[in-house]
Amino acid sequence: MKVRRDPRVPLTTAAGLGAVAVVVALVTGGSAPVVTAIAGVVTGLLAAVSLIMAASRVVPAHRRQPGAWRWMAAGSLTWLLGVGLRPVADGTPFVLTFADLLMLVGSVLLAIGCGLSVKPPAFTRGVIRQAADAYLGAASVFTVAWVAVLGPAFRKAEDTGAFFVALALPVVCLLATCAVTPAVAASRSGNRVVGLTGVGVLTAITVAEMATALARLDGDNPPLAAGLVVPAMLLVLAVTPWVQEDRPARPLPAALTAATPLVLVAAATFVATLHAIGGSRDAVLVVVAASVVLVLLGRLFVLLVETAGMRRLVDVGEQQLRRLAENTGDVVLVCDPGGVIQEVGPGLETTYGYRPEDLAFRPIFDYIHPEDLPAVQALLDRMTDEDDGPEQAGGTRISCRFRAADGTWRPTESVAARHVRDDDLVLVTIRDLSDQVALRNQVTHLTFHDGVTGLPNRAYFEERARDVLTRRGAGGTAVIFLDLDGFTSVNDSVGHASGDHLLGQAARRLRSAVRADDTLARWGGDEFSVLLEGGASGGADAQTAIDLAERLVRAVSNEPFRVADRDVALTASVGVAFAEDDLPPGDLLRNADVAMSRAKELGGRRVEVFATHMHADVLRRLEIASDLQRALLENQFAIEYQPVVDLATSRVTAVEALVRWWRGSTFVPPEQFLGPAEDTGIIVPLSEWILREACREVAAWRASSWDIGLALNLSARQIMAPRFVETVAEALSESGLPASELTLEVIEEMLVEDAGEMISRLSELRALGVRLAIDDFGTGYASLAFLRQLPVDMIKIDPSFVSGLGRDDTLTLLTKTIVQLGNDLGLIVVAEGIERPEQLDLLRKMGCTRGQGYLVARPMAARGVDSLMPSTTLQNTA
């Protein structure tokens, strides 16, 4: 216990000691009772004040300690009252005075405080046993005292009644001392020092009062030395609370404290026997001895009852343990030190298929897996070793495999413990873990495998790649990433269940294409990954990895997949990356993913090997993507307009709005930021801003009596965005631009990849009165079919056709065919990319009605469009 020391306490103690010394010196010539009374009052008051102050200022070791010290303080005050009044009370004719009663009460209060000063043990011995032990101790001490001192005084006494009344106070003090001494002495905490000092005070009171009683019977005053013993102990009690520390105390051994009453009884019996041999027939000794025997018999009876109750509890616990084992499916075996099975519990046949007689008196080692046998043998040897520690009594767990009747090895968790009734036997409890192990294996499989394809999943692949690069090094190790081109349209058209079925087919094709030593996994979605392991096992060189990548492309692309009673043709984009020294596994996987993305950007159905510039391109795209949001907020974007003219009259009929980005003083080409804008979703608010701004500009030109229209390109994400149709309607309403003067353009690939939803959205736009156009017409492979499903108003010939006019007969013929097809269908045909005069002449001869390109007019800001008035001729603008 940490003590908060008070400087006043040592001063108070010194003052008290000085006062006692002065008083003793002054009354040296007085009688012993007066000196004893004064010393007792001063020291008792000092002890009481010190205990009360300590109870309020010293940090207690346990919650009962402050109250215990107050009890002891109350006992000291009551005792000092009695000892102070004793010189006056001794003049009365009574043998036992009211002063003696006060001292008796004070002693009892001191005993209560001593008992409360220490923490109670976790398991007490019971009030009856404590009272019996206290009586046995007191009776034994009384017997020795009777033979040595009290017996001769009794035989000299004229009044036996007065003799026993005089002994009442010391006998009660003796009982109180014997009652609290075992508990205080057996305490484990350092705070017991105050309790031990209190026991010393009670012992001193008992001795002093015994001497006082004998002196009274002889008509003399008690000796001064006996009277000053109690004040001296009270001085020690006053100082003790302020100097004790909460150090770990070494209590008396439990066996010693339990045997102390028996030792005292034996000593008293020995003394009484010697006394009897000497010829004495003392009735008091006979009564005391008889009472001791009766109390011992009572204790023995209580002990037998408790032992029987404990035995019943052990039996009940053993039965409950067996029933618990039966209910949990455990099998209980009892073995001798040699491992021979002596007893078999129920549940053996249900769990393992054996009858009890099949295992009885057979070695348990015959049913343990050979690999687990040494550990089980060592465990049994430890369990039966007499020198084994007490920890073995609680049982030891061991995992082993137990052979069932069908010959299978079942995983088990066994617990071996010494038998409760016979230490030479070992109790073995066997729990079958087959279901738990199977469940754990299933969970492990599900954790590292894909449920759709049955292939290892991304977590397993990453762990495997990390392990291969750590153990075998980078030499010959490669990673291949594969993505199924156009798989998104499969889910949208035939559903996710059919899409999962297609993924399963793709996984089987890819598995048949890879080598047995390679690791094929589903990376996620429609992406797969392959790890070609290098190192000492023979790995793969660059050509081997590329050949495998090309086989994977062919495995996916050569034959269509059969899904939902239809054939679905898919291609694959494949990226290959090779491990390098000191390259982290994560970077290797990233490189393969970057190469795959590059293959997909280049049109798919191809293999790309990672190069450093690819990563730089990715970083540049990420940087651009991070700047797009800020550019939109800071109005860094601008709109330029490229005129569309009537080729017959050279009149400007419309302008196509094109977005431009100036990042500070740097011009960012559209092909560098439109892709990242589409990927990040910034294209949606950007396109909405372009739509509103362009509609406002064109509406203002039309307000100046200029019959001009507006053309805008749409992205797939923009069309599929929520409220897109409503956004177009709001832009037209706010600007006042007629819906018929707005032409929205889509490329053919958008119609092919997501036909159903795309056509539905475009049909809603068409219902508003907006005109629709197919941009880059001729580059796709399903355009003619969509011309029947979607009511378009215009087709725009891709610049790749126009660039070959007059130089390539095939392109000239294809261009003429497209123009003729558009005219036959009643569509407006616009030729893009007109840059040379001969291209313009041929288009006019073919019957193409409109065109745009650098020969006609370059893209320009809104102020430049003002110069293009209706009277402006084609030659002036060229």
Side-chain angles (χ1 to χ4, degrees):
M1 178 180 64
K2 186 177 180 180
V3 178
R4 292 197 296 264
R5 300 183 182 276
D6 193 326
R8 291 173 295 179
V9 175
L11 296 177
T12 304
T13 304
L17 292 174
V20 171
V22 171
V23 172
V24 173
L26 292 175
V27 299
T28 302
S31 62
V34 175
V35 174
T36 302
I38 294 175
V41 169
V42 173
T43 55
L45 181 61
L46 178 62
V49 172
S50 177
L51 287 169
I52 292 174
M53 292 175 61
S56 60
R57 298 190 181 186
V58 176
V59 179
H62 56 87
R63 60 182 181 85
R64 302 197 311 171
Q65 193 176 68
W69 290 355
R70 293 187 180 96
W71 277 94
M72 296 175 71
S76 299
L77 290 174
T78 307
W79 184 87
L80 72 87
L81 287 177
V83 77
L85 294 175
R86 173 171 277 181
V88 179
D90 284 345
T92 62
F94 301 103
V95 178
L96 190 66
T97 65
F98 65 92
D100 296 332
L101 294 177
L102 286 174
M103 297 175 68
L104 177 63
V105 173
S107 301
V108 173
L109 294 177
L110 277 170
I112 295 174
C114 290
L116 295 176
S117 64
V118 295
K119 295 179 65 175
F123 301 96
T124 59
R125 296 180 298 161
V127 177
I128 297 178
R129 289 183 60 185
Q130 291 180 359
D133 290 346
Y135 178 78
L136 290 175
S140 301
V141 174
F142 181 82
T143 299
V144 176
W146 183 270
V147 172
V149 179
L150 297 179
F154 174 72
R155 286 188 289 274
K156 293 179 182 180
E158 298 178 356
D159 187 353
T160 57
F163 179 84
F164 287 110
V165 171
L167 291 180
L169 178 56
V171 168
V172 172
C173 290
L174 178 61
L175 283 170
T177 304
C178 293
V180 300
T181 299
V184 176
S187 174
R188 294 179 177 270
S189 58
N191 55 48
R192 65 174 180 163
V193 65
V194 176
L196 289 174
T197 307
V199 171
V201 174
L202 288 174
T203 304
I205 293 175
T206 302
V207 173
E209 292 307 313
M210 185 72 71
T212 300
L214 293 175
R216 283 179 176 178
L217 292 174
D218 292 338
D220 297 332
N221 290 326
L224 181 61
L228 293 179
V229 171
V230 178
M233 289 303 302
L234 287 173
L235 283 177
V236 176
L237 181 62
V239 177
T240 301
W242 301 94
V243 298
Q244 72 160 352
E245 297 288 342
D246 191 19
R247 299 190 186 96
R250 183 181 296 276
L252 294 177
L256 179 61
T257 56
T260 299
L262 299 180
V263 174
L264 293 175
V265 170
T269 304
F270 178 73
V271 172
T273 301
L274 292 178
H275 193 61
I277 293 174
S280 175
R281 298 292 185 269
D282 200 326
V284 174
L285 287 179
V286 174
V287 173
V288 173
S291 65
V292 169
V293 171
L294 290 175
V295 172
L296 284 175
L297 290 176
R299 274 205 61 179
L300 179 60
F301 175 76
V302 172
L303 181 61
L304 291 175
V305 172
E306 291 178 351
T307 303
M310 293 177 64
R311 173 58 62 185
R312 285 195 300 272
L313 289 176
V314 170
D315 293 340
V316 171
E318 186 174 353
Q319 294 175 5
Q320 291 178 345
L321 179 61
R322 286 181 174 273
R323 284 198 294 268
L324 179 62
E326 295 172 8
N327 293 334
T328 56
D330 295 351
V331 176
V332 179
L333 305 177
V334 179
C335 302
D336 65 7
V340 178
I341 301 173
Q342 302 294 323
E343 184 180 348
V344 180
L348 179 66
E349 186 171 2
T350 303
T351 306
Y352 296 104
Y354 296 109
R355 293 175 300 175
E357 55 269 21
D358 294 338
L359 269 66
F361 305 106
R362 293 178 60 89
I364 192 174
F365 308 119
D366 294 346
Y367 303 93
I368 303 297
H369 195 280
E371 295 178 0
D372 304 329
L373 196 56
V376 175
Q377 178 68 65
L379 174 61
L380 289 179
D381 291 342
R382 291 198 305 271
M383 296 302 302
T384 55
D385 188 358
E386 293 182 356
D387 297 332
D388 228 9
E391 65 274 5
Q392 298 296 344
T396 303
R397 296 180 182 271
I398 186 172
S399 297
C400 61
R401 286 160 287 184
F402 192 85
R403 188 182 67 193
D406 58 3
T408 59
W409 294 102
R410 306 279 188 86
T412 67
E413 182 183 60
S414 301
V415 179
R418 289 175 177 171
H419 200 280
V420 177
R421 297 183 178 179
D422 191 348
D423 286 344
D424 292 335
L425 297 179
V426 178
L427 189 68
V428 181
T429 303
I430 302 175
R431 172 172 295 180
D432 184 46
L433 299 180
S434 299
D435 293 340
Q436 292 90 322
V437 171
L439 179 61
R440 184 166 59 248
N441 293 337
Q442 182 180 3
V443 171
T444 303
H445 180 82
L446 293 176
T447 302
F448 292 103
H449 285 76
D450 174 55
V452 175
T453 63
L455 296 176
N457 59 12
R458 177 174 181 172
Y460 178 86
F461 190 85
E462 290 178 338
E463 185 66 26
R464 181 63 181 171
R466 188 180 302 110
D467 181 65
V468 168
L469 292 178
T470 301
R471 290 190 297 106
R472 304 183 181 180
T477 303
V479 172
I480 299 174
F481 270 36
L482 180 145
D483 179 85
L484 300 178
D485 302 325
F487 178 76
T488 303
S489 61
V490 175
N491 279 337
D492 295 338
S493 59
V494 297
H496 288 274
S498 297
D500 291 344
H501 179 62
L502 188 150
L503 289 175
Q505 296 181 55
R508 288 190 290 273
R509 293 189 188 182
L510 297 176
R511 189 185 292 112
S512 63
V514 301
R515 303 177 305 178
D517 295 337
D518 300 333
T519 302
L520 171 66
R522 183 186 179 194
W523 185 255
D526 59 343
E527 297 181 8
F528 297 85
S529 55
V530 182
L531 176 66
L532 285 76
E533 302 181 13
S537 62
D541 55 19
Q543 190 58 48
T544 302
I546 295 174
D547 290 343
L548 174 58
E550 292 177 347
R551 286 202 309 272
L552 296 177
V553 173
R554 291 194 297 270
V556 173
S557 308
N558 283 354
E559 296 182 10
F561 295 90
R562 188 67 178 175
V563 180
D565 297 330
R566 69 178 70 177
D567 291 333
V568 177
L570 295 180
T571 60
S573 299
V574 178
V576 182
F578 296 97
E580 301 174 1
D581 293 336
D582 301 328
L583 181 68
D587 290 353
L588 175 61
L589 302 179
R590 179 206 63 196
N591 293 345
D593 191 19
V594 169
M596 181 194 69
S597 301
R598 179 63 175 171
K600 200 170 186 68
E601 290 175 1
L602 295 177
R605 194 171 184 175
R606 60 186 298 131
V607 176
E608 285 290 323
V609 179
F610 175 79
T612 305
H613 71 84
M614 294 183 181
H615 187 215
D617 291 342
V618 172
L619 293 179
R620 185 165 55 253
R621 287 172 63 89
L622 291 176
E623 182 182 358
I624 290 175
S626 65
D627 291 343
L628 281 171
Q629 184 70 43
R630 183 172 64 254
L632 186 62
L633 296 175
E634 296 178 357
N635 297 321
Q636 296 181 8
F637 293 102
I639 300 177
E640 290 187 350
Y641 300 93
Q642 185 172 24
V644 179
V645 302
D646 187 320
L647 298 183
T649 64
S650 300
R651 183 177 63 87
V652 176
T653 60
V655 289
E656 181 179 358
L658 304 173
V659 65
R660 297 291 184 259
W661 181 19
W662 287 90
R663 187 165 54 173
S665 59
T666 304
F667 175 75
V668 183
E671 59 271 14
Q672 291 187 11
F673 71 84
L674 288 180
E678 179 80 12
D679 295 338
T680 59
I682 298 297
I683 193 68
V684 175
L686 177 60
S687 298
E688 182 176 343
W689 173 81
I690 297 171
L691 173 65
R692 296 180 183 276
E693 186 68 17
C695 286
R696 184 184 61 80
E697 291 279 4
V698 174
W701 290 327
R702 291 183 60 84
S704 301
S705 301
W706 188 6
D707 186 13
I708 187 173
L710 172 65
L712 281 175
N713 286 296
L714 299 179
S715 69
R717 187 183 288 267
Q718 181 183 8
I719 297 174
M720 302 306 296
R723 299 189 72 258
F724 171 66
V725 178
E726 291 82 351
T727 301
V728 174
E730 292 172 0
L732 293 173
S733 176
E734 293 172 0
S735 63
L737 180 68
S740 59
E741 299 302 326
L742 175 61
T743 302
L744 299 179
E745 304 174 1
V746 295
I747 60 177
E748 289 181 323
E749 286 80 358
M750 292 166 51
L751 298 175
V752 175
E753 291 180 0
D754 198 2
E757 185 67 20
M758 186 68 65
I759 291 177
S760 175
R761 288 295 183 94
L762 293 177
S763 298
E764 294 179 22
L765 290 173
R766 191 68 175 80
L768 293 177
V770 174
R771 295 195 295 181
L772 301 179
I774 298 180
D775 196 12
D776 297 337
F777 188 84
T779 58
Y781 53 87
S783 302
L784 297 179
F786 283 104
L787 289 178
R788 294 186 304 168
Q789 302 179 33
L790 185 64
V792 298
D793 302 278
M794 181 184 303
I795 56 176
K796 301 185 73 172
I797 304 174
D798 189 75
S800 60
F801 293 96
V802 177
S803 64
L805 291 179
R807 297 178 179 179
D808 189 320
D809 294 339
T810 301
L811 291 178
T812 303
L813 178 60
L814 289 175
T815 304
K816 183 177 181 180
T817 302
I818 293 174
V819 172
Q820 185 63 44
L821 175 64
N823 292 334
D824 292 343
L825 294 176
L827 303 177
I828 299 174
V829 181
V830 180
E832 296 184 285
I834 303 174
E835 297 181 351
R836 301 193 309 275
E838 62 268 23
Q839 295 172 344
L840 180 60
D841 293 338
L842 287 173
L843 288 171
R844 283 174 171 169
K845 293 177 181 179
M846 292 177 185
C848 183
T849 56
R850 296 183 184 179
Q852 63 182 116
Y854 284 179
L855 180 64
V856 176
R858 292 178 176 272
M860 61 190 70
R863 291 192 301 271
V865 179
D866 294 337
S867 62
L868 302 177
M869 291 290 98
S871 60
T872 304
T873 63
L874 177 60
Q875 290 76 11
N876 292 334
T877 60

PDB file of all heavy atoms in Angstrom, residues 259-274:
ATOM      1  N   ALA A 259      -2.903 -26.789  11.316  1.00  0.00           N
ATOM      2  CA  ALA A 259      -2.442 -27.743  12.336  1.00  0.00           C
ATOM      3  C   ALA A 259      -2.160 -27.087  13.674  1.00  0.00           C
ATOM      4  O   ALA A 259      -1.941 -27.797  14.670  1.00  0.00           O
ATOM      5  CB  ALA A 259      -1.190 -28.443  11.832  1.00  0.00           C
ATOM      6  N   THR A 260      -2.154 -25.740  13.750  1.00  0.00           N
ATOM      7  CA  THR A 260      -1.827 -25.056  14.999  1.00  0.00           C
ATOM      8  C   THR A 260      -2.747 -25.457  16.145  1.00  0.00           C
ATOM      9  O   THR A 260      -2.275 -25.757  17.262  1.00  0.00           O
ATOM     10  CB  THR A 260      -1.852 -23.539  14.787  1.00  0.00           C
ATOM     11  OG1 THR A 260      -0.883 -23.193  13.802  1.00  0.00           O
ATOM     12  CG2 THR A 260      -1.554 -22.800  16.067  1.00  0.00           C
ATOM     13  N   PRO A 261      -4.090 -25.476  15.954  1.00  0.00           N
ATOM     14  CA  PRO A 261      -4.951 -25.924  17.073  1.00  0.00           C
ATOM     15  C   PRO A 261      -4.613 -27.332  17.532  1.00  0.00           C
ATOM     16  O   PRO A 261      -4.631 -27.608  18.747  1.00  0.00           O
ATOM     17  CB  PRO A 261      -6.367 -25.845  16.485  1.00  0.00           C
ATOM     18  CG  PRO A 261      -6.256 -24.857  15.382  1.00  0.00           C
ATOM     19  CD  PRO A 261      -4.895 -25.057  14.814  1.00  0.00           C
ATOM     20  N   LEU A 262      -4.294 -28.233  16.597  1.00  0.00           N
ATOM     21  CA  LEU A 262      -3.975 -29.603  16.988  1.00  0.00           C
ATOM     22  C   LEU A 262      -2.670 -29.650  17.758  1.00  0.00           C
ATOM     23  O   LEU A 262      -2.519 -30.442  18.718  1.00  0.00           O
ATOM     24  CB  LEU A 262      -3.873 -30.477  15.730  1.00  0.00           C
ATOM     25  CG  LEU A 262      -5.157 -30.580  14.891  1.00  0.00           C
ATOM     26  CD1 LEU A 262      -4.918 -31.468  13.687  1.00  0.00           C
ATOM     27  CD2 LEU A 262      -6.299 -31.131  15.751  1.00  0.00           C
ATOM     28  N   VAL A 263      -1.682 -28.829  17.375  1.00  0.00           N
ATOM     29  CA  VAL A 263      -0.419 -28.779  18.123  1.00  0.00           C
ATOM     30  C   VAL A 263      -0.653 -28.280  19.540  1.00  0.00           C
ATOM     31  O   VAL A 263      -0.107 -28.817  20.525  1.00  0.00           O
ATOM     32  CB  VAL A 263       0.589 -27.885  17.380  1.00  0.00           C
ATOM     33  CG1 VAL A 263       1.856 -27.684  18.209  1.00  0.00           C
ATOM     34  CG2 VAL A 263       0.951 -28.492  16.030  1.00  0.00           C
ATOM     35  N   LEU A 264      -1.483 -27.235  19.679  1.00  0.00           N
ATOM     36  CA  LEU A 264      -1.787 -26.715  21.008  1.00  0.00           C
ATOM     37  C   LEU A 264      -2.505 -27.757  21.855  1.00  0.00           C
ATOM     38  O   LEU A 264      -2.222 -27.920  23.046  1.00  0.00           O
ATOM     39  CB  LEU A 264      -2.627 -25.440  20.883  1.00  0.00           C
ATOM     40  CG  LEU A 264      -1.923 -24.216  20.266  1.00  0.00           C
ATOM     41  CD1 LEU A 264      -2.908 -23.072  20.098  1.00  0.00           C
ATOM     42  CD2 LEU A 264      -0.746 -23.783  21.132  1.00  0.00           C
ATOM     43  N   VAL A 265      -3.441 -28.462  21.206  1.00  0.00           N
ATOM     44  CA  VAL A 265      -4.151 -29.518  21.945  1.00  0.00           C
ATOM     45  C   VAL A 265      -3.175 -30.602  22.391  1.00  0.00           C
ATOM     46  O   VAL A 265      -3.236 -31.110  23.521  1.00  0.00           O
ATOM     47  CB  VAL A 265      -5.268 -30.108  21.069  1.00  0.00           C
ATOM     48  CG1 VAL A 265      -5.850 -31.359  21.709  1.00  0.00           C
ATOM     49  CG2 VAL A 265      -6.368 -29.073  20.862  1.00  0.00           C
ATOM     50  N   ALA A 266      -2.260 -30.976  21.484  1.00  0.00           N
ATOM     51  CA  ALA A 266      -1.279 -32.001  21.850  1.00  0.00           C
ATOM     52  C   ALA A 266      -0.405 -31.534  23.002  1.00  0.00           C
ATOM     53  O   ALA A 266      -0.097 -32.310  23.932  1.00  0.00           O
ATOM     54  CB  ALA A 266      -0.427 -32.344  20.628  1.00  0.00           C
ATOM     55  N   ALA A 267       0.037 -30.254  22.967  1.00  0.00           N
ATOM     56  CA  ALA A 267       0.863 -29.734  24.065  1.00  0.00           C
ATOM     57  C   ALA A 267       0.085 -29.712  25.369  1.00  0.00           C
ATOM     58  O   ALA A 267       0.612 -30.092  26.441  1.00  0.00           O
ATOM     59  CB  ALA A 267       1.355 -28.327  23.715  1.00  0.00           C
ATOM     60  N   ALA A 268      -1.167 -29.264  25.326  1.00  0.00           N
ATOM     61  CA  ALA A 268      -1.971 -29.243  26.541  1.00  0.00           C
ATOM     62  C   ALA A 268      -2.194 -30.643  27.075  1.00  0.00           C
ATOM     63  O   ALA A 268      -2.169 -30.891  28.303  1.00  0.00           O
ATOM     64  CB  ALA A 268      -3.311 -28.565  26.254  1.00  0.00           C
ATOM     65  N   THR A 269      -2.446 -31.609  26.190  1.00  0.00           N
ATOM     66  CA  THR A 269      -2.641 -32.999  26.612  1.00  0.00           C
ATOM     67  C   THR A 269      -1.380 -33.542  27.280  1.00  0.00           C
ATOM     68  O   THR A 269      -1.440 -34.260  28.303  1.00  0.00           O
ATOM     69  CB  THR A 269      -3.027 -33.864  25.404  1.00  0.00           C
ATOM     70  OG1 THR A 269      -4.189 -33.308  24.790  1.00  0.00           O
ATOM     71  CG2 THR A 269      -3.295 -35.290  25.823  1.00  0.00           C
ATOM     72  N   PHE A 270      -0.231 -33.220  26.698  1.00  0.00           N
ATOM     73  CA  PHE A 270       1.030 -33.689  27.277  1.00  0.00           C
ATOM     74  C   PHE A 270       1.227 -33.131  28.683  1.00  0.00           C
ATOM     75  O   PHE A 270       1.594 -33.851  29.623  1.00  0.00           O
ATOM     76  CB  PHE A 270       2.169 -33.260  26.356  1.00  0.00           C
ATOM     77  CG  PHE A 270       3.526 -33.636  26.877  1.00  0.00           C
ATOM     78  CD1 PHE A 270       3.960 -34.961  26.851  1.00  0.00           C
ATOM     79  CD2 PHE A 270       4.378 -32.669  27.408  1.00  0.00           C
ATOM     80  CE1 PHE A 270       5.217 -35.299  27.344  1.00  0.00           C
ATOM     81  CE2 PHE A 270       5.621 -33.023  27.895  1.00  0.00           C
ATOM     82  CZ  PHE A 270       6.052 -34.345  27.861  1.00  0.00           C
ATOM     83  N   VAL A 271       0.971 -31.821  28.837  1.00  0.00           N
ATOM     84  CA  VAL A 271       1.137 -31.198  30.158  1.00  0.00           C
ATOM     85  C   VAL A 271       0.162 -31.787  31.158  1.00  0.00           C
ATOM     86  O   VAL A 271       0.501 -32.096  32.315  1.00  0.00           O
ATOM     87  CB  VAL A 271       0.975 -29.673  30.041  1.00  0.00           C
ATOM     88  CG1 VAL A 271       0.943 -29.025  31.419  1.00  0.00           C
ATOM     89  CG2 VAL A 271       2.093 -29.077  29.213  1.00  0.00           C
ATOM     90  N   ALA A 272      -1.124 -31.956  30.704  1.00  0.00           N
ATOM     91  CA  ALA A 272      -2.123 -32.518  31.618  1.00  0.00           C
ATOM     92  C   ALA A 272      -1.774 -33.951  32.012  1.00  0.00           C
ATOM     93  O   ALA A 272      -1.993 -34.384  33.153  1.00  0.00           O
ATOM     94  CB  ALA A 272      -3.499 -32.472  30.961  1.00  0.00           C
ATOM     95  N   THR A 273      -1.213 -34.708  31.062  1.00  0.00           N
ATOM     96  CA  THR A 273      -0.828 -36.097  31.354  1.00  0.00           C
ATOM     97  C   THR A 273       0.275 -36.135  32.393  1.00  0.00           C
ATOM     98  O   THR A 273       0.246 -36.947  33.350  1.00  0.00           O
ATOM     99  CB  THR A 273      -0.371 -36.791  30.065  1.00  0.00           C
ATOM    100  OG1 THR A 273      -1.444 -36.746  29.115  1.00  0.00           O
ATOM    101  CG2 THR A 273      -0.002 -38.249  30.332  1.00  0.00           C
ATOM    102  N   LEU A 274       1.290 -35.273  32.228  1.00  0.00           N
ATOM    103  CA  LEU A 274       2.353 -35.217  33.227  1.00  0.00           C
ATOM    104  C   LEU A 274       1.804 -34.825  34.597  1.00  0.00           C
ATOM    105  O   LEU A 274       2.239 -35.347  35.636  1.00  0.00           O
ATOM    106  CB  LEU A 274       3.421 -34.205  32.786  1.00  0.00           C
ATOM    107  CG  LEU A 274       4.261 -34.593  31.551  1.00  0.00           C
ATOM    108  CD1 LEU A 274       5.248 -33.473  31.215  1.00  0.00           C
ATOM    109  CD2 LEU A 274       5.010 -35.883  31.789  1.00  0.00           C
TER     110      LEU A 274
END
